[in-house]
Amino acid sequence: MSHLDRMVPRMDELLARLAAVQHGVFSRTQARDLGFSAAQIRYRLETGRWVEITPRVYRIAGSPGTERSLLMATVLS
């Protein structure tokens, strides 16, 4: 397993932890800061792993869309 193969699951794990404390949502900037490329972000959106709330804010698929998550999405936007 290459260094890159090990890095992607770690990035997903870090993002999931971040989203968990932000009511399931996160910004594109936060994903980029963790190392996700534009192609990796697009892939996760296309495959349904992430749900686009706004062009710059996403939710982890399966995380409930609650009033708090919508409020957090607004703050992140």
Side-chain angles (χ1 to χ4, degrees):
M1 182 180 279
S2 76
H3 171 70
L4 290 177
D5 291 336
R6 285 189 301 271
M7 203 165 104
V8 171
R10 178 77 175 139
M11 290 168 24
D12 282 316
E13 179 184 331
L14 291 171
L15 186 72
R17 288 181 185 183
L18 173 66
V21 299
Q22 295 181 165
H23 306 286
V25 300
F26 58 95
S27 71
R28 181 178 187 87
T29 300
Q30 290 174 318
R32 295 288 297 198
D33 287 347
L34 287 173
F36 286 93
S37 68
Q40 289 170 316
I41 291 169
R42 187 172 43 256
Y43 175 78
R44 281 159 180 75
L45 290 167
E46 290 172 355
T47 59
R49 290 174 69 179
W50 297 352
V51 178
E52 185 176 83
I53 298 172
T54 73
R56 295 184 310 238
V57 179
Y58 313 119
R59 183 176 73 239
I60 300 286
S63 297
T66 64
E67 287 183 24
R68 287 182 186 217
S69 69
L70 291 176
L71 179 61
M72 180 57 90
T74 301
V75 169
L76 291 171
S77 190

